Amino acid sequence: MGIPQGPGSRVNTTSNAKAATTAKNNLSWRPLRSLRLTLLLFLCARAAAAQQTHIIVVTSVAGDEEHAAKFRKWASTFIEAAKKKESVPDANITLLADKQAARENVSKTFADVAARAKPNDTVFVLLIGHGSFDGRAAAFNLPGPDLTVEEWTKLLNKFPSQRVVFVNTASSSGAFLPTIAGPGRVIVTATKTGGERNDTDFPEFFVQAFDDAAADRDRNGHVSVLEAFDYAKSKVVQAFQQKGLLLTEHATLDEGGPDTRLAATSFLGTGRSDAALAVDMNDPAVAALVQERDAIEQQIAALRLKKASMDQAAYDADMEKLLTSLALKTKALRDRQTKKDER
């Protein structure tokens, strides 16, 4: 004889059936959700790997052979670091020096780069040489007519969807800042104002930073614009102190707004060691490791921004933990790629 089931029992039975169905659906959904997340990480990693850096180096009128030799050396040091340290291809690097640095060639180069640069690429512009300021307008001294600050700004406006790094290492370069700074741009000048008219030491140390492991403070194998800026600024101060001279140049960095990390995440290349490791980004496991490593690098960059407001011991402990995690993640990436290469 069956046990009678009242209305309450039917409700409980129905409720239990619904709960079982929901649980079953949840269990079946989890692998799908995990698969979608893995695919998303893979696509993000592929997109980041596809990003490129386009470099434009312009040297000014030298005035004499001594300055010409220095400008050539600094430009060469910078370009070699981009090619050897960050694997930027020759096709993505343009050097305009001597007569080639005339304004029409500069304008054409910017137009050419704008035509081939993709959204989210980085456009890195470095000016090396002499600058001037007449109390109203600043200039970077080109052979023939100079480009005004407004004209330089128009050239940079050709890159609305790219990250722009504009580094003017010339004297009086600080006068460029008010006009040329903007969202999505990292602007570096060797001087704070147009009134600092002496030849600058900043360019020598700025380009040197990209080939000096000491500038790589977070030990991630890449020197960011922020690291190069801090390195060069410190070296300039030391150089003036050693000579017993009053500091006549004060380098300045602008990131286009408060609370940004543009300078800390901008590099000569992509800032990603997967290119140097030649990893297979078609392997989802490798792509996931790259994504995890990049996340750690972002945490390191964010922590550095908090350094001034943190207790030194706490900062050092947190940084050491992150650097250890970064080293372990990079080792795991190398080990997996090595095994793949040996197959």
Side-chain angles (χ1 to χ4, degrees), residues 113-195:
V113 173
R116 66 175 184 268
K118 298 178 181 179
N120 299 319
D121 279 0
T122 296
V123 178
F124 200 126
V125 181
L126 174 65
L127 307 186
I128 298 174
H130 297 304
S132 60
F133 180 64
D134 63 5
R136 294 175 300 174
F140 180 73
N141 302 146
L142 301 175
D146 296 330
L147 286 166
T148 66
V149 176
E150 289 74 16
E151 288 172 324
W152 281 106
T153 302
K154 289 180 181 179
L155 292 178
L156 295 185
N157 287 344
K158 293 179 180 293
F159 308 104
S161 60
Q162 288 80 22
R163 176 177 296 196
V164 172
V165 179
F166 182 85
V167 183
N168 185 349
T169 66
S171 52
S172 299
S173 52
F176 272 58
L177 270 175
T179 304
I180 215 162
R185 295 177 182 173
V186 178
I187 308 297
V188 174
T189 60
T191 73
K192 186 176 182 179
T193 68

Side-chain angles (χ1 to χ4, degrees), residues 100-279:
Q100 290 299 315
R103 57 180 288 144
E104 57 270 19
N105 289 337
V106 174
S107 297
K108 183 180 184 303
T109 297
F110 272 75
D112 291 345
V113 173
R116 66 175 184 268
K118 298 178 181 179
N120 299 319
D121 279 0
T122 296
V123 178
F124 200 126
V125 181
L126 174 65
L127 307 186
I128 298 174
H130 297 304
S132 60
F133 180 64
D134 63 5
R136 294 175 300 174
F140 180 73
N141 302 146
L142 301 175
D146 296 330
L147 286 166
T148 66
V149 176
E150 289 74 16
E151 288 172 324
W152 281 106
T153 302
K154 289 180 181 179
L155 292 178
L156 295 185
N157 287 344
K158 293 179 180 293
F159 308 104
S161 60
Q162 288 80 22
R163 176 177 296 196
V164 172
V165 179
F166 182 85
V167 183
N168 185 349
T169 66
S171 52
S172 299
S173 52
F176 272 58
L177 270 175
T179 304
I180 215 162
R185 295 177 182 173
V186 178
I187 308 297
V188 174
T189 60
T191 73
K192 186 176 182 179
T193 68
E196 295 181 334
R197 297 183 173 88
N198 294 342
D199 284 351
T200 55
D201 289 346
F202 183 81
E204 175 184 0
F205 300 120
F206 183 79
V207 301
Q208 177 181 305
F210 293 101
D211 197 33
D212 189 343
D216 182 16
R217 295 182 305 189
D218 58 15
R219 304 198 298 259
N220 71 342
H222 306 275
V223 175
S224 69
V225 174
L226 178 61
E227 288 173 325
F229 173 82
D230 289 342
Y231 173 95
K233 190 172 183 178
S234 175
K235 289 286 188 179
V236 167
V237 172
Q238 292 175 19
F240 274 79
Q241 289 176 341
Q242 290 172 359
K243 296 174 184 176
L245 301 174
L246 182 67
L247 189 64
T248 59
E249 58 182 274
H250 300 79
T252 303
L253 184 149
D254 185 280
E255 296 182 283
D259 303 323
T260 63
R261 297 188 303 108
L262 288 178
T265 56
S266 296
F267 305 85
L268 283 189
T270 60
R272 301 161 58 88
S273 55
D274 50 282
L277 291 172
V279 297

Side-chain angles (χ1 to χ4, degrees), residues 33 57 64 86 263 298:
R33 182 171 56 186
V57 180
D64 56 54
E86 296 289 351
Q298 291 174 4

